[in-house]
Amino acid sequence: MFWTQLGIILAIVLISLVLFNFLRPYIFKYNVKKHHLIILLIIFFILPPFLGNLYKLPIVQWLQMIIVSLITLTFVDLISFEKINKKKEVIGRPKPKPRRAKNNK
C-alpha cells in the first residue's frame, strides 16, 4: 500500500516536472501575472468539494495534483525571474570625458 502510493506520487512529480519543462517557453511567451496564478491556485484548492462524486475518481485527483503543481512551479519561476531582473544593472550611455570634449574643438 505504501509503496504503491509512493510510486504514484513520484510518477505525478515526474510527469509534472517534464510537462513544466516542456511548456515553460510557451507559458512565458505570454504576460502571466502572479496574481492570476494565485487566483488559479485558490480555485483549484476550493474546487474538489464542488465536484462531488467525480472527485472520487483517482484520475481526477491526479490531474488536479498535476495542474496545481504546474501552477506552483510557474509561480516560483516567475518569482525567481523577478529577483534576477531586479539585480541587473541599468546600462546607460557613458559620460564623455572632459579632456576629449576640449580637444575636439
Side-chain angles (χ1 to χ4, degrees):
M1 184 76 167
F2 169 75
W3 294 107
T4 57
Q5 290 177 350
L6 183 65
I8 290 170
I9 291 172
L10 288 176
I12 288 172
V13 167
L14 186 66
I15 290 170
S16 63
L17 285 175
V18 168
L19 277 175
F20 177 69
N21 286 327
F22 179 71
L23 295 174
R24 180 189 282 174
Y26 303 110
I27 292 172
F28 293 116
K29 194 180 284 187
Y30 304 104
N31 228 354
V32 180
K33 304 287 185 197
K34 284 191 306 185
H35 61 274
H36 293 148
L37 294 174
I38 292 173
I39 291 170
L40 277 174
L41 279 174
I42 291 170
I43 288 171
F44 276 105
F45 281 129
I46 294 175
L47 189 64
F50 296 114
L51 291 177
N53 290 334
L54 183 63
Y55 194 72
K56 292 180 181 177
L57 296 172
I59 295 174
V60 176
Q61 294 174 1
W62 298 340
L63 284 175
Q64 188 220 6
M65 287 175 58
I66 289 172
I67 291 171
V68 167
S69 65
L70 286 175
I71 295 171
T72 306
L73 286 170
T74 307
F75 182 75
V76 170
D77 220 19
L78 275 176
I79 290 174
S80 67
F81 282 149
E82 285 181 359
K83 285 184 181 179
I84 291 171
N85 288 338
K86 278 186 178 179
K87 290 182 181 179
K88 286 185 180 178
E89 292 182 19
V90 177
I91 300 174
R93 188 173 173 178
K95 292 183 180 179
K97 295 185 178 178
R99 290 183 188 171
R100 289 187 186 171
K102 290 179 185 177
N103 293 337
N104 288 337
K105 289 183 182 181

